Amino acid sequence: QRAGSQNVTVYFIFSFILARGGPHLANPPTVIVMVGLPARGKTYISRKLTRYLNWIGIPTKVFNVGEYRREAVKHYSAYDFFKSDNEDAVKIRQQCALAALRDVKNYLTEEEGQVAVFDATNTTRERRDMILEFGAENGFEIFFIESVCDDPNVIACNILEVKVSCPDYQDCNKTDAMDDFKKRIECYRMNYQPLDPDQYDKNLSFIKVIDVGRRFLVNRIQDHIQSRIVYYLMNIHVQPRSIYLCRHGESQQNMQGRLGGDSGLSTRGRKFAGALAEFVEEQNLKDLKVWTSQMRRSIQTAEALNVPYEQWKALNEIDAGLCEEMTYEDVRERFPEEFALRDQDKYYYRYPSGESYQDLVQRVEPVIMEMERQENVLVICHQAVMRCLLAYFLDKSADEMPYLKCPLHTVLKLTPVAYGCKVESISLNVDAVNTHRDRPERGPSILIRRNSVTPLTSPEPNKKPRMEGLDDPIIREVTPAQLTLCSASHTTLALSTQVSHSYCPYIFTA
Amino acid sequence: MRGASRSKNTQDLDKRVCMTNCPTLIVTVGLPARGKTYISKKLTRYLNWIDVPTKEFNVGQYRRECVKIYKSFEFFQPDNEEGLKIRKQCALAALNDVRQFLTDEGGQVAVFDATNTTRERRETIIRFAEQNGFKVFFVESVCEDPDVIAENIVQVKLGSPDYIHCNTEEAVADFMKRIKCYENSYQPLDEELDRDLSFIKIIDVGRRYLVNRVQDHIQSRIVYYLMNIHITPRSIYLCRHGESDLNIKGRIGGDSGLSARGKEFAKALRQFIQSQNIRDLKVWTSQMKRTIQTAEALGVPYEQWKALNEIDAGVCEELMYEEIQQRYPQEFALRDQDKYRYRYPKGESYEDLVQRLEPVIMELERQENVLVICHQAVMRCLLAYFLDKTAEELPYLKCTLHTVLKLTPMAYGCKVESVCLNVDAVNTHRDRPSNVDVSRLPEEALLTVPDHH
C-alpha cells in the first residue's frame, strides 16, 4: 500500500486552481458520466451506447472503474470492501477512479477519442464535483446519465444476469453471490446523493432514466451529440425479444450470378419462403413485426408468410450504379479499375452512380432506431444491408462489415443477452447459390476517405490501473491548430446525413 | 405533406415506418402565454412536412367564433358560469372536429391546443380518446420566467383579435389578469398522480424536460423534435450556389463549376454576409462543386452535407428540357402531372428529398444563425418546411439564382426577406404547363421552359 493519500489531496487542490483556466476546444470531446447504485443498468447502458456511437462513426470508449478495481485488488473477498468506513478500500477505489480518469484524458486528447463513457457509481456529489473539475480543466463537456430504479424484480434480474457470473463471484454459488451483492448495494445506498434538478445540480447537463425508461428527466442539453444520446436512450428498452435477420429467397439474378436488379424469386427461393413461413410459425412469437425492402424479391418472400408486413425503402439493397445487373466477371472486364478499387477498400468504395457501404450505414440508421423500439422483428432484406445491420448488433467495424457472412436461406436469430447479443444461425435447408466473395489479398488502401462515417468497433477496455504517476501535475492542453476553411464539426452528425470536407488531407471523424 | 395523398408504392401501410395504427391526439397543457400555440403550430408544420397528416385545433379560435366580441378577462373568471358553459361547449366542438379529422378525413395526428389545466378537463379528453381509439400524448409547457412571459404577450397576444381595440398597456394588464384566472385551478401534470399518462413536460422553454411513458415511434419523434427546437432569436439564410456552367446551357443536374457570373455572385454574397454582421454564423453547403466554390469565396469555415446535394435526376442528369422531351416524352408529362411524387428513372423525387433533408431540418432547428448554400429543388424543400407549403406548392416555389432568402422566426411563423444581390443569372424556373397530358405536343410541353444559351 503506497502512501498515496497526501498525493491525492494535492491533486484535488491543484485541480481546483486550474479549473478556471481550462482550454476552450472548438469541438470539445464529451465525457458521459454514469450515475447510480449497483445493478441499475449503468454498464448495460454504457456498452450499448458505446456500440451505437461507434457504429455511427463517433469514436467512443467505455472506462469501467470496476475493472480497474479488479486489477488493483486481485481477489475480491466480500462486500465489506465497499463499506464507507473501510479506509484502505476507500483509498484504493479513489485511486482507481483517478486512474480511469487519466485514461479518459489520454483517450480524448492523445488517441482521437470523441466520447468517453465513465462507468462507475458516481453516487456522491463529492465524486461528481471532482469529475466536473476534471472536465473543466481539460475542456471536456460533461453529460451525466443517471439510472434510478427501485423495482426489486428488475434489480434481482440484473444481479442474476450479470453480477452472479462476474469475476468477483467466480468462487461463490448463486445464492451467496446474490446475498453479498445486495449488501454491496446497501453500502452505496447510505451515501447516495441522486442528481437534484431543482437545486444542487440544476446547471448540469444530464438525463435521469427512471424505472428502465418509463420516465426521463432531461436537463440542459447542450449540443447535438447530447440530443442524439438522449434520443437513443429513449428508444432502447430491456424487454426480452429476438431479432431475426435473413435475406430474401434466392432470386433469378442470384442464379445468374448478377448483382442488384429487381428480379423475382427462383423456384428454390420460393421454397425458402415456404420454409421461412413454417419456421416463423414454429417460433411461436408474440406479435412479430415483419419488415421487407421495396424490392420484389424480399416482398415475394414476405408474401409467403401470410402475415402483415411493412416495406422500407431504406432496406433496399446497395445500389450498384453502373454495375447493376452485371456479373462479377462483367464488372472485372468492363470496369477493371473499379473492380480492383472495390476489393481494396470495400467499405468506402462507391459504385459509379451507386452507393457504398458507408452510404448504406447512413441510410439504415433510422431502421436501427426503430428496431431498438420494437420487440420481436423479422427483417427480410439483402446481403449488403444485412451486413450493415449485423455489424451494428455484433459491434463489428467498417473493416469487417463488408465481409460478414450472410448466406441465402439462412436466418440469424439475435437475442440480446447480458451486455451483448447471442447469435444463432439457422439454415432452412433449401439449397441456394453462394453469393459471398471473400476478402482478397490486398495492398495498402488507396481510397481517399472523403466521408466521415466509419463504424468502429467498441475498443477493448483498459485493464491496467496505471497507479503510478498519480502525483504528477496535470499537463495543460496545447490549444488546437487554427481551423481551416473546411472545419470538422462533430455536432452535425444527423440521422441520415454525411458531413464531410474536401481539400482536407487528413482523416477525421464526425 | 398536407394535401398529398398516399404514395402509390405503398400497400395500406406507410412505406417508411409504421406510425402506429391508431391516430394520436396531442394535448397541450399550460397557463396562457406559455408557448402552447407556438409549439402546436410548429409541431404541426413539422409533422406535415414529414408526411404525417396533422392538424391543430385551437379552442381559443372556437371561442372567438362563438363569442364574437371579447370584452375582458372577466370572461375567464372561474365563477363566470356563462363563460364556463361557452368554453366547455367550444372544447367539445373542437373535440368533435378532432374526431372527424382523425376518423373520417385520414388525419394521423390532431393537436388539441388549449390550456387543459385541470385534471377534470384532461380526464374528459382521455375518455374521449379511449372511446374513439386514439392514443393521447400531453405536451405541457411550464414557465415562470416573467421576461419570457412578457415577451410572449408582446409577440402574439397584443396582435390577437381579442385586443384589437386596446392599447398596449390595457391589453397587457387584461392578459395578466386572464392568466390569474387560470392559476388558482391549475393542476400541472404530476410525476406520481399522472404516472400512467404519456407526456412531456417542457420546463423553462427547454431548459429541462420530463418525459413519461413514450408509447410509440411518433411520440418519440415528437419528443426528439421538441427537445431540439428553441426560441433564441436568429436568422436562417437560404440561397443557391452561384450560376453554374450547366445552368447557362440550360442543363439540369450534373456537377459543374461556377460561371463567371456565378463567381461574381459568390463575391457579392461575401459582402452581403459581412454587411449583415451576423453573430456566429454557420455556413453549410452540399458536396457539389458549385456550392463549395460559392462558399470558398466567403473566406469563413463551412461544412459540407451530402444530404444537401441536388435532386438526382437519374437518366435525365445533364440533359436539357428539350432533350428530355425528345427522349422521354412520357416521363416528362408524368412529372408535370405530379411533380412532388414523380421520381426520375434511376433518380429521386421531391418526396425522397424531403426524407433526405429531415436531419438537416433538425439540425437547423438546433442551430442559431445559419447560411445554407444549396440547390433549387433542395431549397424548395427547406423553404416549404419553414413557410408551411403543401406538396402541391413545393416543387413550384420560386428560388432564383443569386437571391438570398432571409428567414426570421416571428410570432407563430417566419418572416421572409428576399434579397437580390444584383448579379445577373439565367432563370431556371419552369412553371407547370397547362397541358400535362401524355398525348400533348412537344410545343405544349416546352412552353414554360426558361431561356438558355
Side-chain angles (χ1 to χ4, degrees), chain B residues 94-200:
Chain B
L95 282 180
N96 210 23
D97 287 350
V98 162
R99 183 206 345 259
Q100 193 173 335
F101 175 68
L102 294 180
T103 41
D104 302 330
E105 294 172 21
Q108 189 75 47
V109 176
V111 184
F112 187 69
D113 177 18
T115 48
N116 299 316
T117 39
T118 61
R119 203 152 270 132
E120 184 200 355
R121 171 58 57 84
R122 298 195 290 265
E123 280 297 313
T124 311
I125 299 170
I126 293 171
R127 273 196 306 271
F128 161 83
E130 274 168 10
Q131 280 161 10
N132 290 288
F134 305 150
K135 286 191 183 173
V136 184
F137 186 71
F138 293 95
V139 176
E140 180 175 27
S141 173
V142 173
C143 180
E144 291 313 319
D145 183 340
D147 293 330
V148 173
I149 296 166
E151 180 64 26
N152 279 359
I153 297 178
V154 164
Q155 279 246 341
V156 296
K157 302 298 180 186
L158 296 184
S160 121
D162 291 345
Y163 294 112
I164 228 170
H165 299 299
C166 297
N167 68 41
T168 310
E169 279 108 42
E170 289 166 351
V172 172
D174 184 276
F175 200 82
M176 297 298 263
K177 293 199 193 104
R178 209 154 112 176
I179 298 179
K180 274 267 169 293
C181 296
Y182 285 90
E183 263 172 19
N184 290 339
S185 55
Y186 182 22
Q187 294 163 304
L189 287 171
D190 182 76
E191 286 177 54
E192 284 310 305
L193 296 172
D194 298 305
R195 60 188 312 164
D196 290 329
L197 301 182
S198 296
F199 66 85
I200 177 172

Side-chain angles (χ1 to χ4, degrees), chain A residues 197 214-216 218-220 224 227 230 234-235 309-312 359 370 485 492 497-498 500, chain B residues 13 15 17-18 191 207-209 211-213 217 220 223 227-228 287 301-306 363:
Chain A
R214 182 145 306 155
R215 201 188 319 155
F216 301 93
V218 182
N219 202 59
R220 288 191 184 261
H224 181 94
S227 107
V230 165
M234 296 203 306
N235 281 316
Y309 64 93
E310 283 176 61
Q311 301 172 19
W312 288 70
D359 295 326
E370 192 53 26
L485 281 186
T492 53
T497 297
Q498 278 171 322
S500 92
Chain B
L13 308 162
K15 70 175 172 182
V17 150
C18 183
E191 286 177 54
R207 183 146 306 158
R208 199 192 310 169
Y209 304 92
V211 181
N212 200 62
R213 288 194 184 258
H217 179 94
S220 108
V223 165
M227 295 202 307
N228 281 314
Q287 284 177 5
Y302 65 93
E303 287 177 52
Q304 301 172 20
W305 289 69
K306 183 176 184 217
E363 193 53 25

Side-chain angles (χ1 to χ4, degrees), chain B residues 400-416:
Chain B
T400 54
L401 285 167
H402 300 186
T403 301
V404 179
L405 292 185
K406 177 178 176 180
L407 305 170
T408 312
M410 188 130 297
Y412 295 138
C414 236
K415 181 174 82 168
V416 195

Side-chain angles (χ1 to χ4, degrees), chain B residues 235-240 263-279 281 283 294 297-300 369-373 379 402-408 416-423:
Chain B
S235 289
I236 295 168
Y237 298 80
L238 299 181
C239 71
R240 291 166 66 187
K263 292 185 185 137
E264 243 188 87
F265 164 73
K267 290 199 204 112
L269 184 62
R270 180 198 182 120
Q271 279 175 356
F272 170 71
I273 293 299
Q274 282 170 353
S275 71
Q276 289 278 299
N277 218 357
I278 309 160
R279 185 179 68 88
L281 177 71
V283 179
T294 311
L298 301 180
V300 295
N369 292 317
V370 190
L371 163 64
V372 184
I373 304 173
M379 188 163 158
H402 300 186
T403 301
V404 179
L405 292 185
K406 177 178 176 180
L407 305 170
T408 312
V416 195
E417 291 164 64
S418 173
V419 184
C420 170
L421 293 195
N422 284 324
V423 178

